């Protein structure tokens, strides 16, 4: 059970071997979020290909009511994605760009 405002690391009983060059992203379930206020705390959570432990899902209850989790409930979903590992080259100076080093809010609001 997750109380209002509480965070809980939920074991799934699932172990998987993700192939090298792929990663799994743990996403919230939209229906659970809108109906009950339950979402994945660090969405998306990342599972790399070297991990062999149990998949655990950190949930948070944003509602004002407690939420009971039962066995076989669908609490999250995993999206698998292939990735590349770039080779980085140290340089003394980065090339320029339109944005430069401007940070948060620098691209404007429309």
């Amino acid at each position: 059970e997750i109380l209002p405002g509480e965070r809980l690391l939920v074991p799934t009983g699932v172990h998987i071997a993700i192939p090298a060059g792929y990663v799994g992203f743990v996403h919230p379930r939209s229906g659970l979020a809108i109906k009950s206020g339950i979402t994945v705390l660090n969405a998306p959570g990342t599972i790399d290909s070297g991990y062999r432990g149990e998949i655990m899902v950190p949930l948070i209850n944003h509602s004002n009511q407690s939420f009971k989790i039962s066995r076989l409930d669908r609490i999250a979903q995993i999206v698998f994605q292939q990735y590349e590992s770039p080779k980085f080259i140290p340089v003394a100076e980065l090339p320029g760009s339109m944005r430069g080093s401007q940070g948060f809010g620098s691209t404007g609001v429309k």
Side-chain angles (χ1 to χ4, degrees), residues 17-92:
I18 300 173
Y22 286 82
V23 65
F25 293 114
V26 180
H27 287 269
R29 295 191 51 94
S30 57
L32 190 59
I34 197 67
K35 293 175 185 172
S36 303
I38 305 297
T39 191
V40 176
L41 185 58
N42 64 327
T46 303
I47 304 169
D48 63 52
S49 61
Y51 182 68
R52 295 297 185 268
E54 180 178 9
I55 295 174
M56 307 281 278
V57 180
L59 295 179
I60 186 166
N61 184 348
H62 287 295
S63 78
N64 58 5
Q65 298 178 355
S66 60
F67 182 82
K68 183 170 174 29
I69 299 171
S70 300
R71 183 173 164 78
L72 300 179
D73 280 354
R74 296 175 182 171
I75 60 168
Q77 52 198 345
I78 300 178
V79 175
F80 297 97
Q81 182 175 327
Q82 189 173 14
Y83 69 90
E84 295 185 32
S85 294
K87 296 199 188 279
F88 291 96
I89 302 167
V91 296

Side-chain angles (χ1 to χ4, degrees), residues 7-18:
R7 299 177 304 268
L8 183 66
L9 189 58
V10 181
T12 66
V14 174
H15 295 71
I16 57 176
I18 300 173

